[in-house]
Amino acid sequence: MALLNEEQLLLRNMASDWVRDRAPVTALRHVLQERPPIGYDADLFVEMAGLGWAGIIVPEEHGGSDFGLMGLGLVLEELGRTLVASPLLSSGLVGASALRLGGNTAQQAEWLPQIATGSAVVVLALEEEGRHNPARTALGAVRDGNRWRLDGIKAPVPDGMAAAAFVTVARTGTGADDLTLFLIPADAAGLSRERLDRIDGRGAARLRLESVMLEERAVLGEANAGAALLDRILDRGRAGLAAEMLGSATQAFETTIDYLKTRVQFGQLIGSFQALQHRAVAMFAELTLTRSAVEAALTALDADYADAPMLVSLAKALAGEAALSVAREMVQLHGGIGMTEEHDAGLYLKRAAVADTTWGNSAFHRERYGHLAGY
């Protein structure tokens, strides 16, 4: 376990208290029942932004605290414990990272303060209704005079119905890495969106771009050199998502252990059965390994270590496997009640399934780790 400084401990404790008081799992059930158009409880996100969480990685000159990815990871882990639906990951981490790493002075001045206060949501539009593989991006951007014309579809776009702007990945050449990132306001002419329903209940959208015309200043980074920038943005998002999955899996494990200690069958606590104890130990070992990997990835990103991409893929792969296996064990070890919609077990399993596939599943990241390691 990483050694946290005093400020990080205070932030984690504050997040833990807020989540338990303001956003228990019943908050997600409320979202599932009410189905708000944006896919999350807007009032809860206003509270989170008011606590400064949306600006944790935003530079101080743009209204943030610049507290680092480890700090934001601690908050995301606590949110993961109760499956809180919010754009903190998609905008406060990924959107802010895109602007920090690739935004020009005007883009940063316009959007980073809005992200930090939660008044605007900026998200990444990458996937195109297939398996995660940025090299196969098909949405095209072509020169049209001194402007760019974009045509294509993006789906699913996490929190896309709430977004004020999209960091959109487009193909600008025939090579696998010939990509360019564009910052597109949600009200741009030719851009439309429709709501998508996901099994974890969170908001997503399908974007349709039809002759969307953009000035050169809409480019993030350099034209036709966006693949490396996209990798850096994705790695930050993957590490944050791994932290969230660690929180979900840890809570699923602790809830299951509590049940094993209270459920009586055949006159005995079921936790006294050796076969179930072995399964509990296996889950604990898996979570301990995952925590080490997640904290190593966040630390490496904050320090900009050369092996950060490898550590991120290691963390994402392990977190995906741990979240899925612990959620499945939660369902099974709770017996009949774990199969009902009224019990939380199904919610943890659905979220684990979506989170594992987001920005590359465990198999994708095992292969990427091997490639980065030279195998």
Side-chain angles (χ1 to χ4, degrees):
M1 182 178 290
L3 290 175
L4 304 179
N5 60 39
E6 186 175 350
E7 290 178 322
Q8 289 171 331
L9 286 171
L10 286 172
L11 177 61
R12 186 187 66 182
N13 293 339
M14 179 177 67
S16 176
D17 291 343
W18 183 87
V19 165
R20 294 175 194 280
D21 181 48
R22 298 290 301 133
V25 178
T26 51
L28 176 65
R29 290 193 178 278
H30 179 73
V31 170
L32 292 170
Q33 292 166 1
E34 298 297 324
R35 298 183 76 246
I38 57 175
Y40 59 87
D41 186 329
D43 291 338
L44 278 182
F45 185 59
V46 168
E47 288 187 34
M48 295 163 64
L51 292 167
W53 298 348
I56 286 179
I57 67 164
V58 173
E60 293 182 9
E61 62 265 32
H62 293 299
S65 59
D66 205 3
F67 197 57
L69 291 166
M70 176 61 84
L72 185 51
L74 294 171
V75 174
L76 289 168
E77 180 182 342
E78 294 303 319
L79 297 181
R81 277 181 167 268
T82 57
L83 306 174
V84 180
S86 85
L88 186 63
L89 175 68
S90 61
S91 181
L93 200 167
V94 177
S97 292
L99 285 156
R100 280 200 65 159
L101 297 172
N104 58 40
T105 302
Q107 289 168 335
Q108 291 183 353
E110 179 179 2
W111 290 102
L112 283 176
Q114 296 187 68
I115 292 175
T117 60
S119 58
V121 169
V122 178
V123 302
L124 178 67
L126 167 64
E127 310 295 357
E128 297 181 358
E129 297 186 302
R131 296 178 62 181
H132 175 76
N133 187 349
R136 298 185 64 180
T137 295
L139 185 145
V142 296
R143 293 279 189 183
D144 188 339
N146 59 356
R147 296 194 296 172
W148 292 91
R149 190 186 75 241
L150 277 67
D151 291 278
I153 292 175
K154 291 290 185 184
V157 179
D159 297 313
M161 296 304 293
F166 300 94
V167 175
T168 306
V169 183
R171 175 156 301 287
T172 46
T174 56
D177 292 337
D178 291 339
L179 304 176
T180 301
L181 277 58
F182 296 89
L183 184 62
I184 309 177
D187 59 359
L191 188 152
S192 60
R193 55 185 165 182
E194 60 179 304
R195 177 190 169 111
L196 292 179
D197 290 323
R198 305 197 313 182
I199 62 170
D200 64 350
R202 302 192 179 204
R206 175 184 289 109
L207 303 189
R208 186 179 301 277
L209 290 83
E210 297 177 316
S211 298
V212 174
M213 304 301 295
L214 300 173
E215 305 290 340
E216 189 69 29
R217 62 176 180 269
V219 173
L220 268 75
E222 297 181 17
N224 213 38
L229 172 61
L230 177 62
D231 253 354
R232 296 183 66 195
I233 297 168
L234 282 174
D235 274 346
R236 288 170 165 235
R238 290 159 173 161
L241 183 55
E244 185 200 302
M245 284 192 284
L246 173 63
S248 300
T250 301
Q251 185 60 54
F253 170 73
E254 293 176 359
T255 301
T256 302
I257 293 301
D258 286 344
Y259 184 72
L260 296 182
K261 290 178 179 178
T262 55
R263 170 67 171 164
V264 176
Q265 198 167 33
F266 307 120
Q268 298 183 61
L269 291 172
I270 61 173
S272 66
F273 300 144
Q274 192 173 42
L276 300 191
Q277 291 174 359
H278 287 172
R279 291 167 71 167
V281 169
M283 285 190 283
F284 180 76
E286 198 169 10
L287 288 172
T288 302
L289 184 62
T290 300
R291 177 172 296 283
S292 295
V294 169
E295 292 176 349
L298 291 169
T299 300
L301 288 168
D302 273 333
D304 201 21
Y305 290 153
D307 62 349
M310 286 178 59
L311 293 172
V312 168
S313 276
L314 177 65
K316 183 66 167 61
L318 292 178
E321 292 169 355
L324 279 169
S325 67
V326 174
R328 287 169 180 151
E329 288 285 53
M330 186 184 192
V331 172
Q332 289 192 15
L333 295 178
H334 277 81
I337 62 171
M339 301 297 293
T340 63
E341 291 190 355
E342 288 75 14
H343 196 271
D344 292 344
L347 301 179
Y348 281 89
L349 182 56
K350 290 175 181 176
R351 177 57 188 159
V354 173
D356 176 53
T357 58
T358 299
W359 303 324
N361 63 11
S362 293
F364 176 93
H365 284 288
R366 285 185 177 278
E367 183 174 347
R368 181 177 185 246
Y369 182 93
H371 176 73
L372 292 171
Y375 293 111

